[in-house]
């Protein structure tokens, strides 16, 4: 769990599996919907994406 900087907490752990292509298709859809709402995950995916 990490602090999002706005007082909310993020318990997400889907960035790695998402970026590595390890999620089932239905989980990809759900995680992409989550990215629309979660700035922390969106930022983490943007930072890690080029590395992957």
């Amino acid at each position: 769990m990490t602090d999002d900087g706005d007082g909310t907490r993020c318990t997400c752990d889907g960035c790695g599996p998402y970026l590595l292509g390890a999620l089932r298709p239905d989980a990809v859809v759900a995680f992409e919907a989550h990215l629309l709402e979660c700035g922390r995950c969106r930022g983490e995916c943007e930072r890690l994406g080029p590395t992957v």
Side-chain angles (χ1 to χ4, degrees):
M1 184 180 312
T2 56
D3 188 333
D4 284 347
D6 62 358
T8 61
R9 305 295 269 179
C10 181
T11 59
C12 315
D13 59 359
C15 294
Y18 173 74
L19 292 170
L20 292 171
L23 296 178
R24 295 181 325 264
D26 59 322
V28 169
V29 171
F31 189 73
E32 288 177 347
H34 168 75
L35 286 175
L36 296 174
E37 301 296 323
C38 183
R40 173 151 170 57
C41 286
R42 193 169 46 253
E44 186 171 337
C45 285
E46 289 172 0
R47 283 188 299 280
L48 294 175
T51 303
V52 175

